[in-house]
């Protein structure tokens, strides 16, 4: 008599093979995987890193070195120490150019920020049309040189269609780009026209991150659109607005091409912005050492302004969350 075993029959895979237990992951496996990801990331980063080193870092270091030399391309650079910086401090044209640049920046940033914020709020509150956003962005797709030439023709005192319309309305023609009073505001408004759409879309993207529940709760409490703008939109948009201001201030201090194609620094140096003065010193008078010193001074000024803006606007912190 055979006694049956009480243990359950073993379940083996087909063919009688025994399934091997899975091997647990070790720290070495994780390190090898991370190393492989790091190599792949380095391959993708390499082109951008090469461009940064060749076209940004090296020229910056070379410019800092040249700022302490007398260099005109025809002879080797001669070390002169701080002579270029002493000359810059005592140069009235440098300070006049800096004043003109600051005037341009104030007009450009003030008008552009207010207009871009108004456009962004209207796009967010009234319509979500992608076509309308594309139309707003259209001027930004035009280069600064082309935009400057187009407005130069439009605002020409004698033949420009803008002055033709002003004359037809019975007013005197305005020398927008030929008068010391009008020149810088006109150039600033030309650049506002070109960049305001791009700035508005950046702010529009920031507005999209604000939850609609906050606006709905405010409406239930009886808040007006104006009150919601100041109590909800502006506080929650602050980090994005701060970054946009930093970007636009840096770009405004670097204005050059619009001035070059419209007024060439005139009339009577009324539009001789700092970048144009640096360009004239380097490629017009071949004073590369002095031009490098002014470039380094501009770099220091922009760095200080950026740090100050970042801290005052608390760009790294948000009220969301």
């Amino acid at each position: 008599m055979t006694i049956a075993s009480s243990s359950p029959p073993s379940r083996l895979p087909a063919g009688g093979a025994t399934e091997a237990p899975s091997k647990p992951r070790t720290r070495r496996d994780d390190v090898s995987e991370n190393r492989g990801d790091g190599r792949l990331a380095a391959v993708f980063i390499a082109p951008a890193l090469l461009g940064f080193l060749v076209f940004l870092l090296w020229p910056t270091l070379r410019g800092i070195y040249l700022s302490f030399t007398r260099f005109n391309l025809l002879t080797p650079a001669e070390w002169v120490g701080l002579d270029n910086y002493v000359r810059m401090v005592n140069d009235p044209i440098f300070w006049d150019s800096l004043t003109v640049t600051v005037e341009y920046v104030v007009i450009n940033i003030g008008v552009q920020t207010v207009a871009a914020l108004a456009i962004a709020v209207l796009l967010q509150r009234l319509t979500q049309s992608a076509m309308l956003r594309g139309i707003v962005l259209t001027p930004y797709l035009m280069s600064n040189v082309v935009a400057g030439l187009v407005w130069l023709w439009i605002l020409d005192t004698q033949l420009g269609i803008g002055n033709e319309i002003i004359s037809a309305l019975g007013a005197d023609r305005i020398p927008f780009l030929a008068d010391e009073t009008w020149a810088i505001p006109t150039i600033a408004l030309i650049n506002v026209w070109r960049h305001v759409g791009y700035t508005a879309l950046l702010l529009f993207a920031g507005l999209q991150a604000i939850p609609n529940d906050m606006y709905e709760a405010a409406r239930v409490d009886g808040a007006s659109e104006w009150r919601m703008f100041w109590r909800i939109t502006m506080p929650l948009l602050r980090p994005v607005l701060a970054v946009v201001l930093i970007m636009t201030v840096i770009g405004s201090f670097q204005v050059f091409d619009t001035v070059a194609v419209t007024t060439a620094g005139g009339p009577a140096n009324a539009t001789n912005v700092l970048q144009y003065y640096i360009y004239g010193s380097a490629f017009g008078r071949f004073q590369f050492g002095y031009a490098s010193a002014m470039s380094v001074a501009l770099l220091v000024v922009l760095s200080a302004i950026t740090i100050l803006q970042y801290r005052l606007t608390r760009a790294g912190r948000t009220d969301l969350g």
Side-chain angles (χ1 to χ4, degrees):
M1 182 177 179
T2 305
I3 301 175
S5 174
S6 60
S7 60
S10 60
R11 298 179 181 178
L12 298 177
T18 303
E19 183 178 355
S22 60
K23 183 180 179 181
R25 289 180 62 86
T26 64
R27 182 177 180 83
R28 182 177 299 177
D29 294 332
D30 294 336
V31 171
S32 299
E33 184 177 340
N34 291 336
R35 188 174 299 167
D37 292 342
R39 292 195 187 101
L40 182 60
V43 171
F44 285 110
I45 292 173
L49 180 61
L50 180 63
F52 171 78
L53 294 175
V54 174
F55 298 107
L56 186 61
L57 183 60
W58 168 246
T60 301
L61 297 177
R62 175 71 172 168
I64 294 173
Y65 165 72
L66 290 177
S67 70
F68 297 99
T69 66
R70 183 181 294 110
F71 181 53
N72 60 7
L73 284 182
L74 302 178
T75 58
E78 176 187 354
W79 184 267
V80 294
L82 297 175
D83 287 359
N84 288 323
Y85 291 97
V86 173
R87 174 186 171 186
M88 180 182 66
V89 171
N90 296 316
D91 184 0
I93 300 179
F94 168 79
W95 293 108
D96 182 66
S97 297
L98 184 59
T99 302
V100 170
T101 305
V102 171
E103 179 187 355
Y104 166 84
V105 170
V106 170
I107 298 173
N108 183 42
I109 296 301
V111 177
Q112 183 179 162
T113 303
V114 173
L117 186 58
I119 293 172
V121 171
L122 290 175
L123 287 175
Q124 193 245 359
R125 306 295 289 162
L126 300 182
T127 178
Q128 297 289 329
S129 172
M131 181 179 294
L132 187 57
R133 294 199 296 270
I135 293 174
V136 169
L137 189 62
T138 301
Y140 184 74
L141 303 179
M142 186 184 303
S143 71
N144 277 332
V145 173
V146 174
L149 289 174
V150 169
W151 282 101
L152 177 63
W153 297 332
I154 292 175
L155 301 177
D156 183 80
T157 307
Q158 300 300 325
L159 303 175
I161 187 173
N163 268 305
E164 289 292 334
I165 294 174
I166 292 174
S167 179
L169 294 175
D172 294 333
R173 294 176 181 267
I174 301 174
F176 289 101
L177 295 168
D179 183 82
E180 296 180 26
T181 303
W182 285 95
I184 276 294
T186 301
I187 291 175
L189 292 178
I190 290 173
N191 282 325
V192 166
W193 171 82
R194 181 180 178 269
H195 292 91
V196 69
Y198 176 72
T199 306
L201 288 185
L202 292 178
L203 296 176
F204 174 78
L207 291 173
Q208 294 295 94
I210 301 177
N212 286 326
D213 297 345
M214 294 188 175
Y215 293 106
E216 293 174 0
R219 287 195 193 93
V220 171
D221 291 339
S224 63
E225 288 289 335
W226 185 250
R227 189 174 182 82
M228 286 191 292
F229 173 78
W230 286 109
R231 296 292 186 176
I232 299 176
T233 303
M234 287 301 292
L236 298 183
L237 189 64
R238 177 184 46 76
V240 176
L241 184 59
V243 173
V244 169
L245 281 174
I246 291 172
M247 293 170 54
T248 51
V249 167
I250 293 174
S252 296
F253 267 96
Q254 296 174 341
V255 61
F256 170 78
D257 34 17
T258 308
V259 173
V261 300
T262 55
T263 62
N269 287 336
T271 60
N272 189 26
V273 293
L274 191 54
Q275 285 279 24
Y276 194 79
Y277 184 45
I278 292 173
Y279 169 81
S281 298
F283 298 99
R285 295 178 289 278
F286 297 101
Q287 299 172 354
F288 286 91
Y290 184 50
S292 298
M294 289 189 289
S295 299
V296 172
L298 180 59
L299 174 63
V300 172
V301 169
L302 289 180
S303 299
I305 291 175
T306 300
I307 294 172
L308 183 63
Q309 281 185 288
Y310 190 87
R311 291 188 174 181
L312 290 179
T313 58
R314 296 180 294 127
R317 286 176 286 177
T318 178
D319 296 329
L320 283 171

